[in-house]
Amino acid sequence: MSKLDVLVIAAHPDDAELGCAGTILSQIEKGYKVGIVDLTQGEMGTRGTPELRLQEAEKAGEILKLSARENMGFKDIYFENDEEHQHKLIEVIRKYQPEIVLANAIRDRHPDHGKGSDLASKACFMSGLRKIETSYNGVSQKPWRPKFVYHYIQNNYIEPDFIVDITPFWEQKVESIKAYKSQFFDPESKEPKSFISDPEFLPFIESRSREFGHRIMATYGEGFTAERYLGVNDLFDLK
């Protein structure tokens, strides 16, 4: 498997699209290789089925032009930040050897988001420990620790440490979100209503993106928090 520059770790299919699809698109536009690892199939969600969610994730991945996407098959709601799950995620991190990891929000309305965030952070650190032994396809893996771990902001407002201008990629972001037809508002759907199927949910996503964009004098933005201070060599790198 080829090395990735950026690996997005998401608790559920559609988390990455909602939280950081614009940033994914902007990095791919610059020539970087980006992939997504979904921890669960979102099987406990009110609408859709695991099989349908996987199909929708594949379509969204094609829209985003990802270099890789896979699903860990962890149990939705029930997965934990424990040794078993850490070890499995370490194998994936070492397989793709990303320089940057984008993970779920550090806290959010859905408990899996904060839990997935903690799991990703710990696995990224542990992946650099040489005494933790893992293998892929029968071949021993070398330690690998991503240089940076950032967390995309999801439903609950969190003050961002930095904001990415995603204005040129807004329409593609929306297209990738709408690939999950089972999950969002459809007036013809016979399935039960859910938090994200409300007709006001996608307008909320746009409002949040416009708010972050406004903060950096752009039209649309995506906000992130960092686990450590950000450093620059040139003041003119700041916008």
Side-chain angles (χ1 to χ4, degrees):
M1 189 64 67
S2 61
K3 171 180 165 54
L4 297 175
D5 299 297
V6 181
L7 177 63
V8 183
I9 299 175
H12 312 106
D14 78 20
D15 281 356
E17 287 81 3
L18 288 165
C20 62
T23 300
I24 291 171
L25 288 160
S26 71
Q27 296 305 295
I28 293 174
E29 177 76 11
K30 293 177 175 64
Y32 295 109
K33 292 184 177 181
V34 183
I36 296 176
V37 169
D38 300 305
L39 299 181
T40 77
Q41 297 177 6
E43 65 271 19
M44 296 300 289
T46 302
R47 296 157 68 102
T49 64
E51 295 77 16
L52 181 55
R53 297 291 292 274
L54 288 174
Q55 293 172 15
E56 292 170 339
E58 182 177 357
K59 182 177 180 180
E62 291 172 356
I63 293 168
L64 296 175
K65 299 179 181 178
L66 300 174
S67 294
R69 185 166 203 162
E70 63 178 271
N71 194 294
M72 299 292 293
F74 294 168
K75 292 182 67 175
D76 192 12
I77 289 292
Y78 294 106
F79 78 87
E80 294 293 342
N81 181 10
D82 58 18
E83 183 176 350
E84 177 186 357
H85 293 86
Q86 291 159 4
H87 197 274
K88 289 179 179 178
L89 192 52
I90 288 168
E91 291 177 7
V92 171
I93 293 168
R94 289 177 173 178
K95 177 172 71 171
Y96 289 117
Q97 299 183 342
E99 304 296 326
I100 295 173
V101 165
L102 304 180
N104 283 102
I106 55 175
R107 59 182 182 277
D108 207 37
R109 172 185 176 273
H110 197 304
D112 278 1
H113 295 171
K115 188 165 53 175
S117 169
D118 291 341
L119 173 58
S121 293
K122 190 163 187 179
C124 283
F125 180 83
M126 295 171 67
S127 181
L129 300 177
R130 65 181 180 85
K131 291 186 178 180
I132 294 180
E133 297 180 358
T134 60
S135 62
Y136 177 68
N137 285 343
V139 179
S140 179
Q141 293 178 302
K142 295 181 179 180
W144 181 270
R145 183 173 294 148
K147 292 183 175 67
F148 307 100
V149 179
Y150 303 127
H151 300 267
Y152 43 93
I153 296 169
Q154 298 184 256
N155 185 77
N156 293 359
Y157 182 83
I158 300 174
E159 186 69 14
D161 292 318
F162 65 91
I163 296 170
V164 176
D165 181 359
I166 64 164
T167 305
F169 308 100
W170 174 251
E171 296 300 331
Q172 286 175 273
K173 174 185 171 81
V174 172
E175 186 182 359
S176 74
I177 293 171
K178 289 184 176 180
Y180 297 91
K181 291 182 178 180
S182 68
Q183 299 303 301
F184 300 107
F185 178 67
D186 178 358
E188 298 181 359
S189 175
K190 304 301 182 183
E191 292 201 81
K193 293 182 179 179
S194 70
F195 179 76
I196 64 174
S197 73
D198 187 282
E200 295 302 315
F201 183 76
L202 290 182
F204 156 72
I205 295 298
E206 179 172 1
S207 297
R208 171 63 58 75
S209 296
R210 284 186 175 275
E211 177 186 16
F212 284 150
H214 180 72
R215 297 276 292 271
I216 58 171
M217 300 180 69
T219 304
Y220 296 104
E222 288 173 342
F224 296 83
T225 59
E227 296 192 356
R228 62 175 178 81
Y229 288 115
L230 304 175
V232 297
N233 295 319
D234 188 337
L235 291 179
F236 290 94
D237 288 339
L238 299 171
K239 298 181 180 179

